Each structure stands twice: as C-alpha cells, then as structure tokens.
Amino acid sequence: MCQLLGMNCNTPTDIIFSFEGFRRRGGLTDEHSDGWGIAFFEGEGCRLFLDYLPSISSPVADLVRAYPIKSTNVIAHIRKATQGQINLANTHPFGRELWGQYWIFAHNGNLSDLPSLEQGRFLPVGSTDSEHAYCWILNQLAERFQSPPSFAALRDTLKELSSTLAQHGTFNFLLSNGQVMFAHCSTKLHYLVRQAPFCHAHLSDTDLAVDFSRETQPSDRVAMIATEPLTDNENWTAMQSGQLIMLIDGTIQP
Amino acid sequence: MCQLLGMNCNTPTDIIFSFEGFRRRGGLTDEHSDGWGIAFFEGEGCRLFLDYLPSISSPVADLVRAYPIKSTNVIAHIRKATQGQINLANTHPFGRELWGQYWIFAHNGNLSDLPSLEQGRFLPVGSTDSEHAYCWILNQLAERFQSPPSFAALRDTLKELSSTLAQHGTFNFLLSNGQVMFAHCSTKLHYLVRQAPFCHAHLSDTDLAVDFSRETQPSDRVAMIATEPLTDNENWTAMQSGQLIMLIDGTIQP
C-alpha cells in the first residue's frame, strides 16, 4: 500500500532529517515507488509538491531535501498504487478549500464500495479510493458545519466519519488545515513527540543521525507521525486500531 | 502590479525558455519581486509551485528551470503586491476543484468594492482582491452549472462575469482546467501562436535564443500569453480591453 509521514509542531521546523529517511522507502529501502507528495503549511498558505516519479529519484524530492522549508504542519505520502493509475491526479496528498481554509489529506490503505458522492460539492479529480473517501469526508463536514466548528466538535465528527469509512477497508490517514492535525489508525500508524531534553536521533533507513539539542530551542515541541517508525533509537508509540488523535502545537490533545 | 504568463498547446511542451525570461522580471529586469508561482497541468492532475521569494532568487524557480515538466496548460504569475501581505496564502496562482476538475487562476490588476461572497461555497484563504474575485467567479459558475457546461457556454458566462468584475478595477487574468484556457484583458495582455514553420526566438529580458524548429514536430501548436511580450523578434498581438479569448490545443477558438 503506501506510507504516511506527518509533522505537527509549535514552531516552524524543517522536516529534512525525517524526509531523508522517508523518501528512501520510495524505491530504495522499500517498494513505495508509484509517486509521492508533500504539503507544507506556512501560515494559512500551503505548498504542495507532487511527483509521479519514485521519491528516491525525483528532482522535486531533491529540492525538498535541499530547501529547508520551515512549517508547523507537514503531510507527506509515498505511494504503492492499489487503485487508480500512476499519474499526477492520483498522487497524494490531496488538497481542497473548506471554510476558507486549505485542508490536506493523505491515505494509506485500500477501500471498496464507498458511499456515493452524488449530492456533495466536493468531487474527486482522479480515480483513487483515497480521494473519493476524502471528498466524502469534506462533503459531510460542509453539510454539518456552515463555518469552522470547534476543534473538539471536529474531532468528534471525524471520529464518527472515520469509523464509518473504516468499515469499507483499511483507512489510515492524516488530515490538517495548518493549525490542527488529525491522524487516524486503522492498521498501522506510529507517533513520537520530540521535546526538551532533546537527544540524538538515528534514521532506520540510512546511517544518518542528528543531534536535536543543537537544532532546537528548549520550548520547541515536534510531534512526528509515520506508518513505520523513522528512527531506530527513539520510543515510537503504535496507535490502536480505530484510534483518532488530534495534534495542536506538537501536543496530542487529551 | 503583477505579470502573467500562460501556455496552451496541443502536445505536452516544457516552458523552460519562456520561464527563463519571465522569472527575470521578478527582481532582476523588473520589480515584481513579492513572490511567484507556476501551475502545470499533466492530464487532469496539476502541480502548483509557489514561493514568496522573488522568482529570480527562488530555489523553487531553480527547480522549475532545471526540471523540464511537459504540460499542455501552464499558468505562471510574478507578484508586485497591491493588496494583501507577502505570504504564501496570497501567492498566485490559486487553485480550487469544481465539477471534479482543478481550476487554476492568476490575476494582474487591482480590484476594489468586490461583491460579497456570503452565500458562496468558495471562500478565499488569503487576503487579496484577486482570490476574492476568483472565488466569486467559481461561486457563480457552481450556481449556474451543476456539471461542466460546454466550452462555448463557459466562455459566454465568463465574458459576462469578467465584464462585471472589470467594473471594480483592473482585471487581466488567466484561468484553466487543463483542457481549456481563458485569458481576459482589461489593460494589458499579449498573445502569440507558435506553429510550423517554427523559427528562432530571442528573449527580451536576457540574451537567450532558441531554434524551435529543432525542438518541435511540424504538427505542434503552442499559444503563449504574457502581460508583456517575452521575445523581441516575434509578432505578439496585443489584446483589446474587455476581450476574452478561449484557447484549446494551442488554437484561439473562433
């Protein structure tokens, strides 16, 4: 299937270290070579880099590695196609505007017999189950809330909607509007919060380490979410099936 | 204000030559240094590269120059801010999905006292007059057409909507869904169709030339649209105030 990478933090942070390990799974250390994408929120704006080339050999991935974009919310995805051709329209993350906010979504899993989108205002451009599910969620949110609800109300609604969609297959996903990030686990998703005292971290996919104590301020808090742990010397927490977490400023909300 | 660059062609073509001249106007040969962006349609998918740095010094622009993305519809914009801060949310082109199609828009001009968006489903994320006008157009289209209308009906509607918005100020714009491109001139916009027999072209903004007869097939047809002509040895046509043209496959539709 695919792999997900998310970052949510309280101060704009670059994702170069983690991305270096993650991109290797797109054709080098793993088989997810059917395209990739990454979205960086900067304020209310968002940059979305997409490529249908494998992330290990993509010139766009070289740029992302070389250009330290600082962001408080990042969602990345490397694809192993299950439904839909390998092309740009089927490349995650997907983006839409709702309530005057950009919402970015990426999915790992495979869904079938999804509910119809006939009455909704959001429609998929490509042919993946993922974009169909994403549009269904946005249609439900748009129907229930005329303006942005509280984060708590949003979480409750997303929990209900995710639970409905998870009945149609595997539904691990990340969703963010640049302020808040939601992570839903159906089968596999791990998270980690980096905060003071910061320590060394070593990537699982290549022999690269970083000393975060030299790169950070004591007040920094960075939450990472990944399908598989990205480092081999930090304590990643495995999410439970059916669990939805909400992250704001690098903190998992109680 | 800003400058626009558009390309519409019958076969996927890279825009590296034209972009090389255009990007120099973002801080080198001209003053449009408040960010820039470029959208490439590939099939129904779209890549949108944005940066709030001047296009002459942007690492993202270096990537676009080095990575020959082939596309049939491209829209680029370099910004000289009139309304709205210099940040990513205010950087053109803007993108939304309507009728299961991505629609990309970029504007040159300045608008005031725009009609309200209260009842519409598309809302601006940033604070520019341009994104407000774009959302207003999409709201009007969504209200009038439940599914994609014919290109002719779309052109008639856009002509009417553009004429309404042009009463609020200067409204030169480019709009595309990857199949068709619309260009509206309020004060300044030029176009050119390159087709066989292809010849040499020489940029106005730097001493760079290309022999298109060596880069093309005889059946290729490439329409270029730009605020100011990009080359100094080709016959660019100045559009008339109030004129809206529709381009498909590199041809201006009668």
Side-chain angles (χ1 to χ4, degrees):
Chain A
M1 294 200 279
C2 309
Q3 290 211 11
L4 298 168
L5 169 63
M7 182 174 81
N8 168 277
C9 26
N10 67 347
T11 189
T13 305
D14 77 63
I15 198 168
I16 287 181
F17 173 72
S18 299
F19 184 70
E20 186 54 30
F22 187 67
R23 74 177 293 209
R24 285 167 187 265
R25 298 177 183 178
L28 189 65
T29 58
D30 211 333
E31 61 175 1
H32 311 279
S33 54
D34 299 336
W36 71 282
I38 189 166
F40 298 88
F41 278 98
E42 289 161 84
E44 293 166 321
C46 185
R47 301 193 222 224
L48 180 54
F49 295 95
L50 301 171
D51 208 345
Y52 49 78
L53 295 174
S55 54
I56 192 61
S57 56
S58 155
V60 186
D62 291 342
L63 167 78
V64 168
R65 187 178 56 169
Y67 185 28
I69 297 174
K70 297 210 172 216
S71 170
T72 50
N73 283 279
V74 176
I75 292 180
H77 182 273
I78 47 177
R79 183 164 182 234
K80 172 73 186 156
T82 51
Q83 294 180 38
Q85 290 185 305
I86 300 168
N87 61 36
L88 206 60
N90 289 339
T91 304
H92 309 221
F94 301 104
R96 296 286 190 281
E97 170 262 313
L98 174 61
W99 308 314
Q101 304 171 347
Y102 292 124
W103 285 90
I104 297 288
F105 172 89
H107 168 222
N108 151 243
N110 197 22
L111 300 165
S112 53
D113 302 318
L114 284 166
S116 152
L117 298 172
E118 257 173 41
Q119 299 305 314
R121 72 192 213 191
F122 293 98
L123 288 172
V125 175
S127 55
T128 62
D129 52 328
S130 308
E131 193 186 9
H132 185 122
Y134 169 50
C135 290
W136 184 83
I137 287 178
L138 293 180
N139 285 332
Q140 292 288 324
L141 292 177
E143 201 171 288
R144 295 179 193 206
F145 304 106
Q146 293 294 305
S147 57
S150 70
F151 291 144
L154 198 51
R155 171 168 59 183
D156 291 347
T157 306
L158 284 171
K159 197 159 170 49
E160 176 203 329
L161 300 175
S162 306
S163 159
T164 300
L165 290 181
Q167 294 168 22
H168 295 264
T170 308
F171 195 49
N172 305 296
F173 74 79
L174 298 176
L175 176 71
S176 178
N177 69 345
Q179 295 178 280
V180 59
M181 184 172 291
F182 296 95
H184 181 261
C185 175
S186 175
T187 54
K188 195 183 281 187
L189 210 50
H190 296 78
Y191 66 81
L192 172 79
V193 177
R194 294 190 180 120
Q195 55 193 341
F198 289 96
C199 60
H200 277 77
H202 182 269
L203 289 179
S204 312
D205 292 76
T206 183
D207 188 15
L208 187 69
V210 68
D211 179 359
F212 281 118
S213 69
R214 300 180 63 165
E215 312 269 334
T216 50
Q217 299 299 314
S219 60
D220 289 1
R221 215 167 39 236
V222 179
M224 303 296 307
I225 308 148
T227 300
E228 296 280 5
L230 284 163
T231 55
D232 51 21
N233 67 336
E234 295 180 293
N235 287 321
W236 292 78
T237 301
M239 287 176 64
Q240 303 300 307
S241 179
Q243 190 181 4
L244 177 91
I245 58 173
M246 177 166 82
L247 301 109
I248 299 173
D249 291 336
T251 303
I252 296 163
Q253 301 300 299
Chain B
M1 296 201 278
C2 309
Q3 291 212 10
L4 298 168
L5 169 64
M7 182 175 79
N8 167 276
C9 25
N10 67 346
T11 189
T13 304
D14 78 61
I15 197 169
I16 287 181
F17 172 72
S18 298
F19 184 69
E20 186 55 31
F22 188 66
R23 74 177 293 209
R24 284 167 188 264
R25 299 178 182 177
L28 189 67
T29 58
D30 212 332
E31 60 174 4
H32 311 279
S33 54
D34 298 336
W36 70 281
I38 189 166
F40 298 88
F41 278 97
E42 288 162 86
E44 293 167 319
C46 185
R47 302 194 219 223
L48 179 55
F49 295 94
L50 301 172
D51 208 345
Y52 49 77
L53 295 174
S55 54
I56 192 63
S57 57
S58 156
V60 186
D62 291 342
L63 167 79
V64 168
R65 187 178 56 169
Y67 185 26
I69 297 173
K70 298 211 172 213
S71 170
T72 49
N73 283 278
V74 176
I75 292 180
H77 182 272
I78 47 176
R79 183 165 182 235
K80 171 71 187 160
T82 51
Q83 295 180 38
Q85 290 185 304
I86 300 169
N87 62 35
L88 207 61
N90 288 340
T91 304
H92 310 219
F94 302 103
R96 295 288 190 280
E97 171 261 312
L98 172 62
W99 308 313
Q101 305 171 347
Y102 293 125
W103 285 90
I104 297 288
F105 171 88
H107 169 222
N108 152 243
N110 197 23
L111 300 164
S112 53
D113 302 318
L114 284 166
S116 154
L117 298 172
E118 257 173 42
Q119 300 304 316
R121 73 192 215 192
F122 294 97
L123 288 172
V125 175
S127 54
T128 61
D129 52 329
S130 307
E131 193 186 9
H132 184 121
Y134 169 50
C135 290
W136 185 82
I137 287 178
L138 292 179
N139 285 333
Q140 292 287 325
L141 293 176
E143 200 171 289
R144 297 180 192 205
F145 304 105
Q146 295 292 305
S147 57
S150 69
F151 291 145
L154 199 51
R155 172 169 56 184
D156 291 347
T157 306
L158 283 171
K159 195 157 170 52
E160 176 203 327
L161 300 175
S162 306
S163 156
T164 301
L165 289 180
Q167 293 168 22
H168 295 263
T170 308
F171 195 48
N172 306 295
F173 74 80
L174 298 175
L175 176 71
S176 178
N177 69 345
Q179 295 177 281
V180 59
M181 185 172 291
F182 296 95
H184 180 260
C185 175
S186 175
T187 53
K188 195 183 281 188
L189 210 50
H190 296 78
Y191 65 83
L192 172 78
V193 178
R194 294 191 181 119
Q195 56 192 342
F198 289 96
C199 61
H200 276 76
H202 181 269
L203 289 179
S204 311
D205 293 76
T206 183
D207 188 15
L208 188 69
V210 68
D211 178 359
F212 281 117
S213 69
R214 302 181 62 165
E215 311 269 334
T216 51
Q217 300 298 316
S219 60
D220 290 0
R221 214 166 39 236
V222 179
M224 304 296 305
I225 307 148
T227 301
E228 296 280 5
L230 284 162
T231 54
D232 52 21
N233 66 335
E234 296 180 293
N235 287 321
W236 292 78
T237 302
M239 286 177 64
Q240 303 301 309
S241 179
Q243 189 181 4
L244 178 91
I245 58 174
M246 177 166 81
L247 301 109
I248 299 173
D249 291 336
T251 303
I252 296 163
Q253 302 299 301

